[in-house]
Amino acid sequence: MLGVTSHLTTDIASFPFLWVLPLALYLTTFIVAFGAREMPHRGILLAVQIVTTGACVLALPILGVGLGLGWQVTLTVANFFVAALVCHLALADRRPDPRHLTSFYLWMSVGGGLGGAFNAFLAPVIFSNVVEYPRVLVLVLAARPWNGWKLDREQGIILAVGVAASLLPAIATTVGGRPFLNSPVFGQVFIAATFTAFAMAVLLRNRGLWFTVVIAALSLGIALIPSGRQELSVQRSFFGVLKLTDTGDPVIGPVRLMFHGTTLHGAQALSPARHCQPLTYYAPQTGIGQTVVGVQAAHPTVRIGAVGLGVGSLASYTRPGDEIDFFEIDPLVVREASNPRRFTYTSACARGAVRYVLGDARLTLSRLPERSFDLLVIDAFSSDTVPAHLLTLEALKIYLARLQPDGVLLLHLSNRHLDLRNPVIAGLKAAGVHSLTQHSKVHPRSFIAYAETQTVIASRSPAALARFASDPRWVDRDPGQTRAWTDDYSNLVGPLIAGLRP
């Protein structure tokens, strides 16, 4: 349950009702399994588990970002419900004589406590990546009926073929290297081997232990296939997994990327000619780049506040005399972004003063004097989760109070699943300021050169926005009946539906 909860809330949104869903399903399966009536049609339940587990094992590493939000949530919670029901039925079948029930339920509670402690305390230390969910996704299959552990000759051959087919693509890429990985033949080998392995697992469906072994081999084989990127480091903190990789880009050339979870949080070109060129969401072609340049054009020097550091791309815009303060909650991000052996935006490319402020941005900003910044950039997303407390009316009022009278507030709202513009615009309207929004397009050949970006800008000064209002790329968007988010109210459903629209 905790692994599924982490999986859902890491890459979708950190909203309460999402973690309520796995909890509710968990308790429902407990009630059903330990109810007075016998559970009918267990064979159908075990068959459904094969389908849902197979879909999750294949979808988790292969489809990833390309799998729609609805499918991700549906597959995850459906498989969790079935797996939890199978496990609870196995426990219910093992209930002892009534005189031993007290110790039986006590040890069940101890087991739950140990599982929770493992996820909360040990897993972040043992694993550099969030692997609790995909591992238990496979291990939970061992709760299926084993029907003994010995295999006859035919079943042994099926097991061997299943394990060999599972590992074949990974072995082939190790031998053939990157040329084979990028060839059309690899795709054919992968599909044939994967479906062969899954077919062998299905043939062993009534032998729970060996069925689990084949699915575990399949999951391992998929995980061992290289991604095509050279990983420099994978580190895990309380706030998630930070991954640095090197890759090639058709427009930029060699480039270094920072991922938080599955979301790209910044990139820097490795070639000296492009080293200080801001990329992805921060390129000059995006709403962020346009806003920084526009504010700088109106002032000889500017003080910029940036909530969310990433790789420090914004520092490359600073001129002599400019100042930029980065507000970042994760010390690991500060350490990597400020390390000149990793990224050099803040150390070699910035021509103004760069400072770092650790802590929750809303709290640290609220302690600063009013009228501190000419430009305040809000870009604090961990993976694709939404820090709702940074987008509420109360938070927006804090940001606006920290701006100079002609200062500009910029909110970066790009998200794979949610369209957050309407609630933010409604909040700005409730705060008494006007806003403009832009949805800039991606480079036709490279999202590294510049990425598709959703931005909203606001100011207490009509003159400050007039510079942008004359640009047709910036539009005045009506939030309609959307209600502003507050510290007491937030609504994920509206942005979720809006994000599904083309």
Side-chain angles (χ1 to χ4, degrees), residues 417-457:
H417 308 308
L418 309 170
D419 188 343
L420 298 164
R421 290 174 294 177
N422 279 354
V424 169
I425 293 171
L428 292 167
K429 185 177 180 179
V433 297
H434 192 61
S435 64
L436 299 171
T437 183
Q438 180 179 155
H439 188 164
S440 58
K441 301 300 182 182
V442 67
H443 187 284
R445 293 194 297 123
S446 167
F447 72 95
I448 299 296
Y450 53 87
E452 182 178 8
T453 310
Q454 286 190 356
T455 46
V456 172
I457 58 174

Side-chain angles (χ1 to χ4, degrees), residues 248-305:
D249 182 80
V251 174
I252 302 301
V255 64
R256 179 160 296 164
L257 311 176
M258 175 188 283
F259 288 91
H260 197 284
T262 60
T263 300
L264 179 66
H265 270 224
Q268 185 171 22
L270 298 178
S271 62
R274 295 180 178 269
H275 205 50
C276 291
Q277 176 182 340
L279 304 174
T280 64
Y281 305 109
Y282 309 97
Q285 295 86 347
T286 69
I288 296 177
Q290 296 165 32
T291 303
V292 176
V293 172
V295 172
Q296 287 178 324
H299 302 83
T301 61
V302 296
R303 186 179 179 193
I304 303 172

Side-chain angles (χ1 to χ4, degrees), residues 114-190:
L114 290 174
F118 177 85
N119 274 50
F121 304 115
L122 289 182
V125 177
I126 297 173
F127 304 125
S128 61
N129 219 327
V130 182
V131 298
E132 307 92 274
Y133 169 65
R135 295 298 176 267
V136 79
L137 176 69
V138 173
L139 292 176
V140 74
L141 297 171
R144 296 170 63 88
W146 283 23
N147 294 321
W149 62 273
K150 291 185 177 180
L151 297 176
D152 57 32
R153 182 174 179 274
E154 180 181 346
Q155 291 172 332
I157 294 174
I158 293 173
L159 175 64
V161 171
V163 172
S166 299
L167 301 177
L168 177 61
I171 294 172
T173 52
T174 301
V175 174
R178 203 170 299 276
F180 176 74
L181 180 64
N182 297 328
S183 68
V185 177
F186 169 75
Q188 299 170 359
V189 170
F190 177 81

Side-chain angles (χ1 to χ4, degrees), residues 476-502:
D476 186 352
R477 183 183 175 102
D478 183 0
Q481 299 299 314
T482 303
R483 180 179 169 186
W485 289 356
T486 67
D487 289 345
D488 298 320
Y489 167 82
S490 60
N491 173 18
L492 180 64
V493 177
L496 181 60
I497 294 173
L500 295 175
R501 294 172 186 156

Side-chain angles (χ1 to χ4, degrees), residues 123-407:
V125 177
I126 297 173
F127 304 125
S128 61
N129 219 327
V130 182
V131 298
E132 307 92 274
Y133 169 65
R135 295 298 176 267
V136 79
L137 176 69
V138 173
L139 292 176
V140 74
L141 297 171
R144 296 170 63 88
W146 283 23
N147 294 321
W149 62 273
K150 291 185 177 180
L151 297 176
D152 57 32
R153 182 174 179 274
E154 180 181 346
Q155 291 172 332
I157 294 174
I158 293 173
L159 175 64
V161 171
V163 172
S166 299
L167 301 177
L168 177 61
I171 294 172
T173 52
T174 301
V175 174
R178 203 170 299 276
F180 176 74
L181 180 64
N182 297 328
S183 68
V185 177
F186 169 75
Q188 299 170 359
V189 170
F190 177 81
I191 292 173
T194 300
F195 281 94
T196 298
F198 189 68
M200 297 301 102
V202 172
L203 293 176
L204 294 172
R205 62 190 180 279
N206 295 323
R207 308 299 303 275
L209 173 63
W210 303 114
F211 174 81
T212 305
V213 168
V214 177
I215 295 297
L218 179 59
S219 178
L220 177 63
I222 293 173
L224 289 176
I225 297 173
S227 64
R229 299 190 180 109
Q230 179 186 350
E231 288 191 357
L232 293 179
S233 70
V234 180
Q235 303 175 74
R236 184 172 179 178
S237 70
F238 174 80
F239 301 98
V241 176
L242 196 71
K243 183 183 298 184
L244 306 183
T245 66
D246 286 351
T247 189
D249 182 80
V251 174
I252 302 301
V255 64
R256 179 160 296 164
L257 311 176
M258 175 188 283
F259 288 91
H260 197 284
T262 60
T263 300
L264 179 66
H265 270 224
Q268 185 171 22
L270 298 178
S271 62
R274 295 180 178 269
H275 205 50
C276 291
Q277 176 182 340
L279 304 174
T280 64
Y281 305 109
Y282 309 97
Q285 295 86 347
T286 69
I288 296 177
Q290 296 165 32
T291 303
V292 176
V293 172
V295 172
Q296 287 178 324
H299 302 83
T301 61
V302 296
R303 186 179 179 193
I304 303 172
V307 176
L309 172 59
V311 300
S313 304
L314 282 173
S316 63
Y317 283 98
T318 57
R319 308 163 299 183
D322 289 347
E323 301 176 49
I324 185 167
D325 295 344
F326 286 105
F327 298 85
E328 175 58 52
I329 197 171
D330 191 345
L332 179 59
V333 174
V334 175
R335 190 177 73 196
E336 293 299 315
S338 61
N339 183 350
R341 292 177 296 176
R342 300 296 198 191
F343 300 97
T344 60
Y345 281 128
T346 61
S347 58
C349 300
R351 287 176 288 174
V354 178
R355 290 181 291 267
Y356 308 99
V357 182
L358 275 173
D360 182 274
R362 180 166 166 178
L363 297 177
T364 52
L365 277 171
S366 63
R367 301 188 190 110
L368 293 179
E370 295 186 356
R371 302 185 177 186
S372 293
F373 301 105
D374 300 292
L375 172 64
L376 183 56
V377 182
I378 310 299
D379 184 13
F381 290 83
S382 298
S383 192
D384 260 334
T385 60
V386 180
H389 73 292
L390 296 180
L391 301 179
T392 63
L393 174 59
E394 293 84 354
L396 294 174
K397 288 181 178 179
I398 292 174
Y399 307 150
L400 293 168
R402 268 66 197 168
L403 290 174
Q404 294 285 352
D406 62 344

Side-chain angles (χ1 to χ4, degrees), residues 34-112:
F34 284 86
R37 296 183 180 180
E38 178 69 18
M39 179 72 183
H41 309 302
R42 291 202 185 188
I44 297 176
L45 179 67
L46 294 173
V48 171
Q49 187 188 26
I50 295 173
V51 176
T52 58
T53 301
C56 284
V57 167
L58 293 175
L60 191 64
I62 302 171
L63 299 177
V65 175
L67 191 66
L69 173 63
W71 282 108
Q72 290 185 52
V73 175
T74 301
L75 280 177
T76 301
V77 300
N79 184 64
F80 170 68
F81 178 81
V82 173
L85 186 54
V86 169
C87 289
H88 281 150
L89 285 170
L91 277 174
D93 290 341
R94 287 160 175 76
R95 277 179 294 187
D97 185 87
R99 59 181 174 166
H100 299 298
L101 282 178
T102 300
S103 59
F104 174 74
Y105 287 118
L106 172 64
W107 286 112
M108 279 181 56
S109 301
V110 170

